[in-house]
């Protein structure tokens, strides 16, 4: 009796799988998700920058980074995808100059010295040009023999006073950049 029950159950199970398969149901494609990529993924001097850290110190929101290396110079430019300006440029160059040479040859006329930024540092505001607004620049000689410069180029129409405020924010950003990581 058990054998017949087993045989009948097996037959039912085997024939149940022979039915026509249901047509597949079309499922709408999922929306592509935006993945935030860090500036460091661009290499070069961008390895020293992070979009969130830039935003924290300057208030500027950037999401695109490009790097270039030529000889001992490493450069990174960050921008917002939808706007050409403002842009932030970091340049780091290996150097053998000392603080007196920095003062004589690198320190721009009219720049303000910045304390507690490398061996020696400055901040400087540049006037607007025909294509851009005023620019802010911070430069310093790091302890490991590197000359670094951060430059914020503003959109057309930005006043020099506004760029001077940005220069102060760039000083704070410069203080967290560790040029030894290159």
């Amino acid at each position: 009796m058990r054998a017949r029950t087993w045989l009948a159950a097996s037959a039912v199970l085997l024939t149940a799988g022979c039915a026509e398969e249901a047509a597949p149901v079309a499922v709408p494609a999922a929306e592509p998700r935006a993945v935030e990529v860090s500036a460091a993924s661009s290499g070069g001097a961008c390895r020293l920058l992070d979009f969130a850290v830039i935003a924290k110190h300057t208030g500027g929101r950037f999401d695109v980074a490009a790097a270039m290396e030529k000889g001992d110079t490493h450069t990174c430019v960050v921008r917002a995808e939808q706007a050409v300006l403002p842009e932030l440029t970091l340049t780091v160059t290996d150097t053998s100059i000392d603080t007196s040479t920095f003062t004589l040859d690198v320190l721009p006329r009219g720049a303000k010295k910045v304390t507690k930024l490398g061996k020696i540092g400055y901040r400087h505001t540049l006037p607007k040009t025909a294509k851009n607004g005023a620019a802010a620049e911070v430069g310093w000689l790091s302890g490991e023999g590197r000359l670094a410069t951060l430059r914020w180029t503003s959109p057309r129409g930005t006043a020099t006073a506004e760029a001077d405020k940005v220069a102060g924010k760039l000083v704070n950003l410069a203080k967290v950049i560790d040029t030894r990581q290159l």
Side-chain angles (χ1 to χ4, degrees):
M1 180 76 164
R2 283 189 203 186
R4 284 187 199 165
T5 306
W6 172 248
L7 189 56
S10 297
V12 170
L13 290 174
L14 287 174
T15 57
C18 295
E20 192 174 308
E21 289 188 30
V25 176
V27 177
E31 295 260 340
R33 291 191 310 170
V35 177
E36 190 171 316
V37 179
S38 69
S41 66
S42 295
C46 292
R47 294 184 305 236
L48 306 178
L49 296 175
D50 179 86
F51 294 131
V53 173
I54 294 169
K56 176 183 173 186
H57 290 283
T58 68
R61 304 268 180 222
F62 300 103
D63 52 10
V64 176
M68 183 176 165
E69 295 182 31
K70 185 163 185 165
D72 292 338
T73 302
H74 307 271
T75 305
C76 178
V77 177
V78 296
R79 292 182 174 169
E81 183 177 358
Q82 301 300 322
V84 174
L85 294 174
E87 76 176 15
L88 178 66
T89 305
L90 170 64
T91 305
V92 180
T93 303
D94 290 339
T95 186
S96 60
I97 66 171
D98 58 11
T99 57
S100 59
T101 305
F102 181 91
T103 302
L104 291 172
D105 295 339
V106 178
L107 188 68
R109 180 172 284 139
K112 298 173 186 170
K113 288 189 178 182
V114 175
T115 59
K116 298 180 183 174
L117 179 59
K119 290 180 179 180
I120 186 170
Y122 70 87
R123 68 181 255 190
H124 185 61
T125 305
L126 299 112
K128 58 186 175 181
T129 66
K131 294 182 181 182
N132 305 324
E137 182 177 275
V138 173
W140 68 100
L141 181 62
S142 70
E144 60 278 348
R146 292 201 167 118
L147 177 62
T149 307
L150 272 173
R151 179 179 279 196
W152 179 285
T153 306
S154 301
R156 184 184 295 177
T158 303
T160 304
E162 187 64 32
D164 196 47
K165 290 179 188 175
V166 172
K169 295 175 181 180
L170 288 181
V171 169
N172 294 331
L173 177 59
K175 288 181 179 182
V176 299
I177 294 175
D178 184 3
T179 59
R180 293 174 294 184
Q181 293 180 359
L182 278 180

